[in-house]
Amino acid sequence: MQRIDRKDSHLSLCLEEEVEFRSDDGNGFASLRFDHDALPEIDRADVRTGIELLGKKVAAPIVVGAMTGGTPRAGELNRRLALAAAACQVGFALGSQRKMLQDPSTRGSFAVREAAPDLPLLFGNVGAVQLNYGVGPRELRQLVEGVGCDAFFFHLNPLQEAIQPEGQTRFAGLVSRLRAVVPEMGVPVLLKEVGSGISETTARKIRGLPVAGVETAGTGGTSWSHIESLRTADPVQRGTGERFARWGIPTAESVAVCRRLLPDRVVIASGGVRSGIEVAKALALGADAVALSLPLLRAAERSVETAVEALKRVIEELRTAMFLTGCRTVGELAQRQLVRARDLTASP
Ligand SMILES: Cc1cc2nc3c(=O)[nH]c(=O)nc-3n(C[C@H](O)[C@H](O)[C@H](O)COP(=O)(O)O)c2cc1C
């Protein structure tokens, strides 16, 4: 029997199963609202969503989140997602490029610049834990140069590795390994979680590293603990995965923590962000940009046009939220206060 590739099995589960952490306020944004301004004193046509992110101009503070590459199916999804990102002039992140090191023939599935040469901002990606499994500066430069990326993500996924049947869980000593390799990379480096969020404890460790920034990927969206529990045949491992499906820090909380502890670094919010209103809330909490993954994967599975439409919808919602809070620029959103929803029937 042919073994199904892990990336393809993740893609099938994400496209066919319920893999999100669903609750009324899983990502922490629902209990926060903007102070709607009925006299915004600006014209909607004057709202500008463009920003500069890591030295690159993008039309909106949005990144297509890191997901895939390494198989023909993954390569086709990367191509569609990259074309959609280029059409909307937003950032695009590759999924883990580990496969490129194991099998150089998979490079084409990550070579999105060839399909979408006008992508404004491209991120490479590999698991930080790979630094404990033989990946060093030479391999990392190979990953950066092999795809021509502008910046690079190391993902941090201890929960996923703990539940994954073939998980790599030797996380000891990674802080000092990261300190050593980051200056060798030749492009700005960011650290990202994959769905359990960056906490205050982690942000304090990151503060001492020469990284350009972080991506929060808090709870409320795709749950890797749940996905890995669906992949394992071992009932104990499966039960453990289910138990930890909600483990972590909600995205809104993680954004606020990262902004406070990493005031001079880039903070990208992600984890269950599903609308332009939530994008606006993340920006008001101090994020510089916001990444969305699962909804864009599902759109790209249908067509490039569907993915473009999904991105355009999020950008239009952001534009409307900016208009209704009197913000001409994304920078002004960071000055807007979010109000915690109150129960007016309760006694003070
Ligand atoms: C199919 C799929 C594959 C993913 N693969 C990676 C990966 O290889 N590297 C990575 O850093 N994150 C990966 N992620 C995590 C996302 O980048 C993101 O952090 C997470 O899914 C939360 O965002 P969401 O709720 O918008 O999906 C993947 C997500 C999905 C849906």
Side-chain angles (χ1 to χ4, degrees), residues 186-203:
V187 292
V189 170
L190 293 90
L191 303 183
K192 77 182 283 281
E193 238 289 346
V194 301
S196 297
I198 291 177
S199 68
E200 186 156 340
T201 303
T202 316

Side-chain angles (χ1 to χ4, degrees), residues 7 11 14 66-67 95-96 125 155 192-194 217 221-222 224 271-272 274 292-294 297:
K7 193 47 105 175
L11 287 174
C14 286
M67 283 185 279
S96 171
N125 185 302
H155 65 258
K192 77 182 283 281
E193 238 289 346
V194 301
T222 308
W224 285 95
R274 298 292 177 259
L292 292 83
S293 293
L294 188 69
L297 179 79

Side-chain angles (χ1 to χ4, degrees), residues 7-328:
K7 193 47 105 175
D8 280 347
S9 134
H10 284 157
L11 287 174
S12 295
L13 289 168
C14 286
L15 289 167
E16 291 154 22
E17 302 287 333
E18 180 50 74
V19 294
E20 291 179 272
F21 163 24
R22 289 209 177 266
S23 82
D24 285 348
D25 193 13
N27 60 17
F29 288 114
S31 55
L32 302 170
R33 64 171 173 81
F34 281 104
D35 228 15
H36 164 66
D37 191 352
L39 285 170
E41 293 280 57
I42 58 169
D43 295 352
R44 189 174 186 274
D46 291 336
V47 171
R48 297 280 173 264
T49 58
I51 59 156
E52 199 169 290
L53 185 61
L54 295 160
K56 304 286 175 188
K57 283 199 167 62
V58 285
I62 308 275
V63 176
V64 175
M67 283 185 279
T68 199
T71 68
R73 183 185 191 191
E76 174 57 15
L77 284 163
N78 260 348
R79 190 188 68 83
R80 294 183 190 183
L81 288 163
L83 285 172
C88 298
Q89 285 293 290
V90 297
F92 174 82
L94 292 165
S96 171
Q97 294 169 256
R98 183 161 72 123
K99 271 269 186 70
M100 264 176 74
L101 297 174
Q102 297 163 336
D103 176 2
S105 74
T106 62
R107 194 196 76 90
S109 67
F110 296 96
V112 291
R113 280 236 190 266
E114 288 160 25
D118 54 344
L119 258 183
L121 173 60
L122 173 64
F123 294 88
N125 185 302
V126 84
V129 76
Q130 295 308 314
L131 300 177
N132 278 346
Y133 290 84
V135 172
R138 193 174 60 85
E139 289 77 16
L140 292 167
R141 269 196 301 274
Q142 223 170 297
L143 296 184
V144 170
E145 286 159 17
V147 297
C149 58
D150 306 297
F152 195 87
F153 280 122
F154 279 106
H155 65 258
L156 310 172
N157 62 341
L159 172 57
Q160 179 185 12
E161 298 288 352
I163 306 301
Q164 195 170 92
E166 62 280 27
Q168 296 180 308
T169 50
R170 282 174 18 217
F171 273 66
L174 281 186
V175 170
S176 63
R177 289 222 155 76
L178 282 164
R179 186 173 293 116
V181 297
V182 166
E184 306 277 312
M185 304 272 304
V187 292
V189 170
L190 293 90
L191 303 183
K192 77 182 283 281
E193 238 289 346
V194 301
S196 297
I198 291 177
S199 68
E200 186 156 340
T201 303
T202 316
R204 283 187 196 285
K205 293 177 191 171
I206 292 174
R207 194 156 61 173
L209 292 174
V211 293
V214 294
E215 182 184 320
T216 58
T219 61
T222 308
S223 167
W224 285 95
S225 179
H226 178 54
I227 292 170
E228 296 300 349
S229 77
L230 294 174
R231 286 183 64 235
T232 179
D234 175 348
V236 174
Q237 196 74 341
R238 179 178 288 248
T240 310
E242 285 308 323
R243 187 71 77 196
F244 282 83
R246 287 150 191 244
W247 174 274
I249 303 107
T251 298
E253 198 180 317
S254 182
V255 172
V257 161
C258 290
R259 181 72 295 155
R260 182 162 51 81
L261 287 167
L262 304 166
D264 52 353
R265 316 288 176 98
V266 168
V267 174
I268 300 177
S270 77
V273 177
R274 298 292 177 259
S275 74
I277 299 175
E278 288 179 339
V279 170
K281 288 180 183 179
L283 296 168
L285 287 173
D288 297 288
V290 180
L292 292 83
S293 293
L294 188 69
L296 299 175
L297 179 79
R298 290 181 170 170
E301 166 77 349
R302 299 179 71 178
S303 67
V304 176
E305 293 68 31
T306 313
V308 169
E309 195 183 301
L311 278 169
K312 280 190 175 162
R313 208 165 45 226
V314 171
I315 295 168
E316 276 311 292
E317 290 164 2
L318 168 64
R319 191 188 303 282
T320 300
M322 288 173 68
F323 175 51
L324 299 177
T325 51
C327 295
R328 256 190 214 92

